[in-house]
Amino acid sequence: MGDAHRPVLLRRTRGRLANPAGAPDAIVGWVRAGFPAVRTGLFGFTAYLAVLGTGGAVLVGLPGAYVLARYEFRGRETIRSLTVVPFVLPAIMVAVGFTAMFGTHGALNDLLGVVGLHLTVAFDLPLVVAALTFYNAPLVTRFVVAAADTVDARAVETARTLGAPRWRAFLDVVAPQLLPTFLAAVLLVFVFDFMAFPIVLALGGLQLATVEVWIYSLVSNLDLTEAASLAVLEAAITLTLTYVYLRYERGGGAGTASATVERVPLVGPPSAGRLLAAAYALVALVLYVGPLASMIAESLTRAGSLSTANYAFLLAQQLGSGGTRPTVAVSNSLVFAVGAVAIAVPMGVSVAVVTSDKGRLRRLAGALLMAPLAVSGVVTGIGLLQGLVFGVDVLGYHLSVTGPVAIVAAHAVAGYPFVVRNVAPLLARVEGDLVAAARTLGAGPARAFRDVTLPLVAPGVVAGAAFAFAVSVGEFNATIVLARDGATYTMPIALERYLSNPSIGPYLGPAAAMGTVLLVVTAASFVVVERLGGRWEG
Amino acid sequence: MVRLELSGVRRTYGDVAALRGIDLGVRDGEFFTLVGPSGCGKTTTLRCIAGLETPDAGAIRFGDTDVSDVPPEARGVGVVFQHYALFPTMTVRENVAYGLRFDPPDGSVDERVAAMLDLVDLAGMGDRDPDELSGGQRQRVALARALAPAPDVLLLDEPLSSLDARLRDRLRLELKRVQRELGVTTVYVTHDQAEALAVSDRLAVVHDGRIAQVGEPEAVYDGPETRFVAEFLGENNCLDGRAVGGETEGSLVRAGETEFAVTGDHRGPVTLCVRPESLDVNASHNQFDARVRDVEFLGDGYRVHFEWNGRDVVARLDDAPTGSVTLGFDPADAVVLER
């Protein structure tokens, strides 16, 4: 972020916040101090890292989009649906995977060791960028492929008959239709990268401190005022970018396809495109299957031989590092997830019903939907911590909630957009006439909703619930801020503790085992989502 | 402007033969229609002419040139699709001017585009975006875009099917006027037989990947050569029977207990076809008694469904009958097809 932008942001935040968390004072103090270089460097570095991560996502995501949009092959639809998985994969687990793959004792070095080589890339900038790419490239792919599906094949054919060669028809007709969606994806990826927390924390530590990591470390030192001021600044930046994103998103998908562009078989005589596809498959294999497979392999080995010791550790009532019991983490995760789903589903369905009406409410709800994505979990966590956990005074009563309730609330907020996104399209397909028919046959509005609408949107509700479950199980950012009392840690938090403080030995094993459990839970949720035709289009 | 010729064109998709050998000759400047039910191969034929599909066998010639291996961008065709296929990221003017990027006109591009928009009655609409136009206007832009580079052949794939009935009738006339003004060789694909009869110089009925019959609309309507053509173009009452020798002129067709007199010399198994408008309550020939089942009012008369010998017979009558009536038809109005 350039200095030129900051005063504008500051004026806005000062005008709107009547000192709810001491933020403006801190900012005023910071401005008076002449923008200390540490913070300039902090935001600057965060933006720099986000640019690198976004670049990686585009570099890996675009060829993927090309392959999926251009070629037809077995498993194409499966791979296309798999692009949603990173969205719900716990980031801390991905960090474990990358450590297992590229770390000093990782799978890559084991392989290289066979030929006598050794590589030291662990805990460095390239690793963080690679992990961010792992996360966000599928998003670029998904957005662009979805946009490509709205391109009218007849328009491309018309361009051909009017004299345009194939590449020219692509440039003139297809590319302009993909551009707004592509830019929207780039912006969204930038926002996500800007807020990336667990990956940077686990793989980079404080040497690669981004705003999020810095906020977290301030919270850890109980310097909540300064943390809040940084959080407000960060939220202002990400919300502004998200607003721009929403404007772009509306511009995308302008085409109304009467027929989609036909895909050519992937298997066939070698061509430049097919060779690219093959090379891409190799990159995707290393980037995606590599870390996950390394993590699973790591979880099944101890001291170089096959062993279930790491899983036995998860079941044993023993203390890990920092007094973290694996069984407590597992049961906490499940209980919180059930609670979060119980809140997120009614919340999401209600929002979907409200947004199905046209008008101003719809736009407002649309913005509300994006908010949990645009504001990082750490900021949500601080908000809940300041507001509810420490308590607020209302009419002479002191209201406060306990840690677990706050965690469930944060998880529900993170998960409900997925419910909305899955229910809303199905709701849009329920014809008004159908409900009208039920009404004229004697059913009241509520009864008509229950008897006619709900069964039609039920698959979306279940898919959304599965998403919300997976999001809750994997949630890290808000949980680590809120799980401060020692007993409310979840699997991702336990994972981070094992990873950052391996006092149980030089093994990645326990972390890898817990990561594998997380992977299984996430994958199971995904199977449910996939079976029910769940969706997460931008 | 060019003569168009297809010979032995075949196209198979997997196990499905879409075209089983299409032979066609379209005259220079002619408005030629391919008409048939959906899935008959008419659109595939059009796409082969445009170069958007590659035939498995056969040849396509524009004039004396075999264009079978020429890519679509070099064929010099203009195509209009059912759903307009306007480029959504370009204005109306940019859409119409697109083909001129590759084939610059003699004069200025702006003048050419203005002339084309004028031709389709859209003068002054050049700066609009496609999504600001009505369905009829979009289709006129698509037509102007296809015609702007002065193509040798104009190909129209169900261009009016997305429009409502009244607009369709008006645009049909306009299309015909523009085509006549420019004299461009035109192939028009439609499933609507009434449209095909109304608009074509000549038409070809396509059935199951083959050409069933080619000719001027009146000739094909009045002289169908197969039962499929007889029943597809307009309404028809078709009745299987056996032709036996006539006394002086013509023949007799026996169907069940009844004998009908027809013109011409026929022998053996035949199908007798009589148009609803040829049936009359006052006819003096070929009389039979039929019971009224349903009556539809059409404004200028009635379509009456009769039951006769357990089968449906349709007649177009000026007055609505009730109960049982005696129908008949002139022997010269019947068409007899060998089976």
Side-chain angles (χ1 to χ4, degrees), chain B:
Chain B
M1 315 306 121
V2 73
R3 181 167 44 81
L4 171 67
E5 207 177 294
L6 279 70
S7 50
V9 172
R10 291 168 184 278
R11 180 75 170 97
T12 307
Y13 298 101
D15 298 337
V16 186
L19 303 182
R20 300 159 183 269
I22 298 278
D23 297 291
L24 266 187
V26 180
R27 295 168 193 156
D28 191 356
E30 186 173 42
F31 197 113
F32 190 90
T33 301
L34 296 171
V35 61
S38 63
C40 70
K42 55 192 190 298
T43 292
T44 306
T45 306
L46 186 100
R47 292 173 61 82
C48 284
I49 300 172
L52 298 169
E53 297 280 345
T54 310
D56 300 326
I60 299 170
R61 266 182 290 277
F62 287 10
D64 296 323
T65 321
D66 188 335
V67 297
S68 299
D69 295 323
V70 178
E73 65 265 29
R75 283 204 186 184
V77 295
V79 185
V80 177
F81 290 107
Q82 179 181 350
H83 297 288
Y84 330 122
L86 297 183
F87 306 134
T89 55
M90 301 182 197
T91 63
V92 166
R93 176 174 294 113
E94 286 165 343
N95 263 282
V96 175
Y98 187 77
L100 303 174
R101 296 186 193 183
F102 308 100
D103 185 8
D106 295 334
S108 90
V109 170
D110 288 346
E111 274 171 30
R112 178 78 184 158
V113 171
M116 289 333 283
L117 287 177
D118 206 33
L119 183 71
V120 296
D121 231 6
L122 284 178
M125 305 281 255
D127 292 324
R128 303 278 185 99
D129 282 331
D131 59 8
E132 294 173 324
L133 303 180
S134 71
Q137 290 171 329
R138 286 181 205 194
Q139 202 51 293
R140 279 186 273 186
V141 174
L143 180 63
R145 179 179 65 180
L147 289 171
D152 291 332
V153 177
L154 177 63
L155 304 171
L156 307 163
D157 187 6
E158 305 258 9
L160 305 178
S161 298
S162 302
L163 308 173
D164 67 62
R166 210 167 274 273
L167 186 61
R168 195 156 58 214
D169 289 351
R170 217 179 61 215
L171 219 57
R172 191 163 79 189
L173 275 174
E174 208 169 315
L175 193 62
K176 183 79 187 172
R177 170 184 64 79
V178 169
Q179 191 269 342
R180 211 179 303 126
E181 242 170 72
L182 300 177
V184 58
T185 308
T186 301
V187 179
Y188 185 90
V189 160
T190 181
H191 67 277
D192 183 339
Q193 48 90 20
E195 200 166 280
L197 291 172
V199 78
S200 320
D201 292 331
R202 285 193 309 147
L203 59 82
V205 180
V206 187
H207 177 44
D208 203 13
R210 290 193 182 88
I211 302 295
Q213 194 172 343
V214 182
E216 288 169 12
E218 296 88 338
V220 180
Y221 185 85
D222 291 335
E225 287 163 9
T226 66
R227 180 166 179 165
F228 175 81
V229 174
E231 290 184 317
F232 184 78
L233 281 189
E235 263 187 309
N236 226 326
N237 297 296
C238 292
L239 178 64
D240 285 342
R242 226 185 146 70
V244 291
E247 300 98 68
T248 47
E249 266 176 42
S251 324
L252 285 176
V253 174
R254 183 181 314 223
E257 302 295 301
T258 322
E259 282 185 348
F260 296 105
V262 295
T263 54
D265 190 22
H266 301 283
R267 290 289 141 91
V270 293
T271 299
L272 177 67
C273 303
V274 183
R275 294 275 181 197
E277 61 267 27
S278 301
L279 288 170
D280 193 2
V281 284
N282 301 316
S284 50
H285 299 281
N286 290 330
Q287 291 178 330
F288 58 97
D289 291 334
R291 204 166 51 76
V292 175
R293 201 195 267 162
D294 285 303
V295 179
E296 294 172 278
F297 178 54
L298 302 177
D300 58 348
Y302 295 85
R303 180 193 279 127
V304 188
H305 297 261
F306 292 96
E307 188 193 321
W308 172 71
N309 277 356
R311 42 179 306 132
D312 200 39
V313 172
V314 183
R316 287 290 298 266
L317 303 174
D318 292 337
D319 300 301
T322 51
S324 243
V325 293
T326 302
L327 291 172
F329 59 91
D330 191 323
D333 287 342
V335 170
V336 179
L337 304 171
E338 312 276 334
R339 275 194 290 146

Side-chain angles (χ1 to χ4, degrees), chain A residues 1 9 12 47 50 54 183-184 186-195 234-249 370 374:
Chain A
M1 296 301 295
L9 283 173
R12 273 195 205 152
T54 308
L183 291 179
V186 166
L187 259 172
L188 199 59
V189 169
F190 184 84
V191 171
F192 288 157
D193 281 347
F194 197 86
M195 300 188 306
E234 194 210 32
I237 290 169
T238 53
L239 280 171
T240 307
L241 289 172
T242 308
Y243 175 75
V244 179
Y245 157 76
L246 284 172
R247 310 251 339 182
Y248 267 123
E249 191 196 29
M370 283 307 294

Side-chain angles (χ1 to χ4, degrees), chain A residues 295 298-302 310-311 313 506-515:
Chain A
M295 179 184 73
E298 190 70 38
S299 78
L300 288 168
T301 49
R302 172 147 307 177
N310 295 321
Y311 290 94
F313 166 79
Y507 305 118
L508 199 53
M514 191 163 269

Side-chain angles (χ1 to χ4, degrees), chain A residues 45 49 90-106 120-135 193 196-210 213 216 287 291-292 295 476 480 492 495-501 508 511:
Chain A
F45 178 74
L49 193 63
I92 191 73
M93 185 208 82
V94 173
V96 172
F98 271 77
T99 310
M101 175 95 175
F102 299 106
T104 317
H105 303 285
T120 318
V121 287
F123 307 110
D124 212 350
L125 188 66
L127 197 55
V128 171
V129 172
L132 291 177
T133 300
F134 171 98
Y135 241 73
D193 281 347
F197 173 53
I199 284 179
V200 183
L201 183 68
L203 296 178
L206 288 179
Q207 303 96 292
L208 294 185
T210 60
V213 175
Y216 168 67
L287 186 63
L292 298 182
M295 179 184 73
F476 180 80
I480 198 165
L495 245 182
E496 198 275 332
R497 289 179 187 170
Y498 297 153
L499 199 61
S500 63
N501 184 14
L508 199 53

